[in-house]
């Protein structure tokens, strides 16, 4: 699924339905919004281009349960607005953010990720927010008043994610999550 509105910052909304696509999602401009109980249970990867937004305001649990990777270019946004559901499968979803990309998380909402990389460097396991608090680290890649929790590990049996690493060799373990 590729969302690429031409000539403006349009919003395409999918509400009250489960999208059964099994391919990757590319948000190249505007906002792609999943609301009410809309979900994408089988999408393996989501790519959000610079200036684009992937918005999740759905009560489906999780909204993107099969997601292995969300990759966001500089100035891309993943907005998570609903506290009643998990946005991703916390045991398997990895995030790859270019400097300037943000998770815009609403107050009372916690986004859970297995691993997170910022400009190719892995972020330590922990809890992150826009502002520091007891047990919470401030991060400029978090907007809004919610939190992002990074567990630091992918559950066994989850799909591996290509990290690239230093060598770029397919057979080198350190190049994979």
């Amino acid at each position: 699924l590729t969302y690429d509105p031409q000539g403006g910052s349009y919003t395409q909304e999918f509400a009250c339905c489960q999208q059964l696509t099994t391919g990757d999602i590319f948000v190249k401009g505007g906002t792609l919004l999943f609301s009410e109980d809309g979900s994408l249970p089988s999408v393996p990867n989501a790519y959000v281009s610079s200036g684009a937004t992937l918005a999740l305001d759905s009560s489906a649990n999780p909204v993107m349960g099969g997601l292995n990777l969300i990759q966001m270019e500089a100035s891309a946004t993943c907005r998570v607005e609903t506290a009643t559901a998990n946005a991703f499968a916390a045991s398997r979803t990895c995030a790859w953010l270019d400097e300037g990309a943000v998770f815009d998380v609403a107050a009372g909402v916690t986004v859970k990720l297995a691993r997170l990389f910022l400009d190719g460097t892995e972020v330590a396991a922990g809890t992150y927010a826009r502002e520091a608090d007891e047990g919470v680290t401030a991060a400029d890649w978090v907007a809004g008043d919610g939190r992002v929790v990074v567990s630091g590990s992918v559950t066994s049996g989850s799909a591996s994610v290509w990290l690239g690493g230093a060598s770029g060799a397919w057979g080198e373990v350190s190049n994979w999550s």
Side-chain angles (χ1 to χ4, degrees), residues 10 15 17 22 41 64 69 126-127 136 144-145 164 168:
Y10 300 104
C17 61
T22 57
M64 299 181 83
L69 172 69
T127 302
V136 178
D145 292 323

Side-chain angles (χ1 to χ4, degrees), residues 90-124:
S91 64
R92 70 183 296 159
T93 302
C94 297
W96 188 277
L97 281 60
D98 288 346
E99 184 69 37
V102 295
F103 278 100
D104 184 357
V105 186
V109 176
T110 299
V111 171
K112 297 176 184 175
L113 298 167
R115 297 172 79 185
L116 187 139
F117 296 83
L118 182 61
D119 272 346
T121 301
E122 187 164 10
V123 172

